[in-house]
């Protein structure tokens, strides 16, 4: 007679009762219009929905990620504080959501390593951002650039989050996060939810060059919390309707980045577009108006930003408290993961 070992009881996935939201932003420069229209507006909307409906929202300033491109420690610390102030100024409330600095919760690096072991290198080599960074920083193709999406997957799911407010540029990374989670769940049992992107109605905001995505590292940004004159200069430098040569030529608002941005500031963009089409208004007029509207729209946030930046130590404490608040979630996930993987 052969004796068979009794099958191990399947571990139940320890998932939150309501889906959690998580997103990360790099402290790689000053917050720009693309960040706000494409992502931060949704951070705030989900934060408020979370309060009303009883789910957690967690936002992270991803300084580990920023290290793949910058090694200036002083600048990184400064930008981390500035990003914290920007996010609060733009509507995050540390009492309603958890706002923290990635390196304050280092458990995520352990999860990243464990995820590395279920992630084929080929998946990472195909990532568009990795291919792009190999071109833009050929002298510093560090391993972190390759592993970046694995750490991103760990960032999200260590908190068992599944709603991820991001811009469209993150679509490929999120797809990879889902694949990594599936690979882990298939090998070790259902542990993590699959993350889903949550987009705004402006998932890709073009930069002032009118060609590439607005991006801190490209430098084609409109820095929404900067001084009014900086914003004026950035907006006035925007590439507009390239088909319109003379002031008297009819404009093409659908192909003009400035006209498109008017959709988010005021309710009269149809009239503005009509003025362009009929050449009643010129590109310069439309840009001037846009600059003033952006300045006005972000005036209260700019004020809050400066108030918060006047006491950086207090701000850093607030961010530190956020990391403490979610310590139990990160620790519980790691205990569960180690158990599933047969460690300890
Ligand atoms: P970097 O150039 O350093 O990558 P970034 O400007 O792309 O910086 P991130 O910190 O990478 O900013 O992105 C923060 C969030 O803002 C992400 O969710 C990203 O998808 C979103 N985002 C960034 N740029 C845009 C844009 N131009 N349009 C829409 N969403 C954007
Ligand atoms: Mg980016």
């Amino acid at each position: 007679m052969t004796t068979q070992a009794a099958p191990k009881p399947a571990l139940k996935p320890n998932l939150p009762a309501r889906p959690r939201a998580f997103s990360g932003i790099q402290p790689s420069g000053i917050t720009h219009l693309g960040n706000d229209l494409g992502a931060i507006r949704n951070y705030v909307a989900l934060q408020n929905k979370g309060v009303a409906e009883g789910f957690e929202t967690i936002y992270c300033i991803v300084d580990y990620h920023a290290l793949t491109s910058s090694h200036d420690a002083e600048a990184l610390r400064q930008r981390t504080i500035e990003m914290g102030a920007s996010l609060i100024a733009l509507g995050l409330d540390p009492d309603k959501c958890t706002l923290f600095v990635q390196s304050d919760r280092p458990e995520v690096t352990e999860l990243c390593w464990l995820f590395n072991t279920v992630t084929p290198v080929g998946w990472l080599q195909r990532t568009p951002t990795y291919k792009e960074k190999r071109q833009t920083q050929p002298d510093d193709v560090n391993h972190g650039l390759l592993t970046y999406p694995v750490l991103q997957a760990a960032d999200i799911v260590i908190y068992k989050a599944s709603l991820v407010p991001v811009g469209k540029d993150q679509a490929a990374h999120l797809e990879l996060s889902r694949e990594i989670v599936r690979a882990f769940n298939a090998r070790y049992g259902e542990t993590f939810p699959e993350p889903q992107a949550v987009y705004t109605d402006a998932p890709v905001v073009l930069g002032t060059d009118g060609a590439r995505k607005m991006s801190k590292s490209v430098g084609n940004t409109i820095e929404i919390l900067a001084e009014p004159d900086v914003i004026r200069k950035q907006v006035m430098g925007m590439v507009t309707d390239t088909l319109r040569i003379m002031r008297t030529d009819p404009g093409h608002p659908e192909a003009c980045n400035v006209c498109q941005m008017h959709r988010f500031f005021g309710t009269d963009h149809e009239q503005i577009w009509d003025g362009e089409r009929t050449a009643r208004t010129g590109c310069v007029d439309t840009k001037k108006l846009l600059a003033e509207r952006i300045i006005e729209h972000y005036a209260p946030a700019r004020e809050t930003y400066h108030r918060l930046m006047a006491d950086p130590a207090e701000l850093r404490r607030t961010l530190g408290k956020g990391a403490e608040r979610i310590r139990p979630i990160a620790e519980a996930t790691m205990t569960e993961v180690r158990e599933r993987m047969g460690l300890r």
Side-chain angles (χ1 to χ4, degrees):
M1 206 174 89
T2 54
T3 48
Q4 279 188 333
K8 266 191 177 171
L11 289 170
K12 278 223 179 86
N14 176 21
L15 297 181
R18 300 291 317 272
R20 286 186 187 131
F22 174 94
S23 200
I25 189 160
Q26 292 200 57
S28 52
I30 310 280
T31 342
H32 57 75
L33 193 58
N35 295 142
D36 189 42
L37 296 182
I40 298 170
R41 279 191 306 162
N42 262 357
Y43 295 5
V44 178
L46 279 165
Q47 162 192 271
N48 297 337
K49 196 164 184 246
V51 170
E53 297 180 11
F55 64 85
E56 279 184 78
T57 48
I58 304 169
Y59 300 111
C60 180
I61 302 167
V62 291
D63 57 348
Y64 282 144
H65 283 287
L67 285 172
T68 58
S69 296
S70 162
H71 310 274
D72 181 338
E74 190 45 51
L76 186 61
R77 271 197 297 272
Q78 177 66 15
R79 285 172 173 173
T80 298
I81 292 289
E82 287 169 1
M83 185 51 77
S86 301
L87 291 172
I88 297 172
L90 290 167
L92 289 189
D93 177 344
D95 291 328
K96 294 183 180 167
C97 69
T98 297
L99 178 61
F100 76 108
V101 179
Q102 188 181 29
S103 62
D104 282 352
R105 254 318 15 102
E107 295 83 358
V108 74
T109 58
E110 182 186 357
L111 186 59
C112 176
W113 173 257
L114 300 174
F115 277 179
N116 275 334
T117 65
V118 300
T119 308
V121 178
W123 289 359
L124 302 174
Q125 284 166 330
R126 283 197 296 272
T127 312
T129 336
Y130 174 64
K131 290 190 193 157
E132 194 188 301
K133 292 280 181 183
R134 283 177 62 125
Q135 308 287 330
T136 54
Q137 52 183 79
D139 299 329
D140 187 16
V141 187
N142 59 79
H143 191 273
L145 286 176
L146 187 67
T147 314
Y148 193 110
V150 187
L151 180 57
Q152 188 169 336
D155 283 329
I156 302 166
V157 299
I158 196 168
Y159 304 107
K160 304 279 178 114
S162 52
L163 304 173
V164 190
V166 281
K168 203 64 183 259
D169 60 299
Q170 291 298 317
H173 282 169
L174 264 195
E175 185 50 43
L176 204 48
S177 290
R178 273 196 293 280
E179 285 181 282
I180 293 167
V181 162
R182 275 186 220 128
F184 185 96
N185 286 348
R187 195 176 291 179
Y188 296 108
E190 282 303 309
T191 311
F192 295 110
E194 287 187 23
Q196 306 287 335
V198 182
Y199 296 124
T200 68
D201 55 355
V204 184
V205 176
L206 291 182
T208 49
D209 53 5
R212 285 171 297 176
K213 168 193 107 76
M214 189 178 286
S215 171
K216 284 173 280 191
S217 51
V218 175
N220 55 356
T221 55
I222 297 171
E223 297 170 3
I224 47 184
L225 302 180
E227 290 310 305
D229 273 347
V230 173
I231 296 178
R232 280 188 196 106
K233 193 155 175 252
Q234 289 170 339
V235 174
M236 293 317 285
M238 283 177 79
V239 171
T240 53
D241 179 355
T242 50
L243 302 168
R244 192 177 183 190
I245 313 294
M246 307 288 288
R247 164 70 180 77
T248 47
D249 290 345
H252 310 80
E254 57 293 331
C256 170
N257 195 20
V258 177
C259 286
Q260 290 305 314
M261 283 183 183
H262 269 289
R263 289 195 295 136
F264 303 102
F265 300 95
T267 52
D268 56 351
H269 69 271
E270 290 290 354
Q271 282 117 285
I272 293 169
W273 292 8
D274 194 54
E276 288 274 311
R277 280 197 196 97
T278 55
R280 267 187 285 116
T281 47
C283 293
V284 173
D285 308 319
T286 315
K287 284 202 266 197
K288 275 187 182 154
L289 184 63
L290 180 65
E292 295 314 313
R293 286 190 174 179
I294 292 175
I295 290 165
E296 193 189 325
H297 180 86
Y298 290 105
R302 196 170 304 119
E303 213 180 298
T304 309
Y305 174 80
H306 286 298
R307 183 169 46 75
L308 293 167
M309 286 304 293
D311 191 353
E314 173 60 22
L315 194 54
R316 194 62 188 83
R317 272 194 295 278
T318 303
L319 297 172
K321 277 189 216 151
E324 275 308 310
R325 189 193 299 162
I326 46 168
R327 178 199 285 271
I329 308 181
E331 288 181 347
T333 303
M334 291 320 300
T335 303
E336 183 189 1
V337 167
R338 290 182 206 119
E339 190 178 341
R340 283 181 183 275
M341 296 182 82
L343 301 163
R344 296 185 210 171

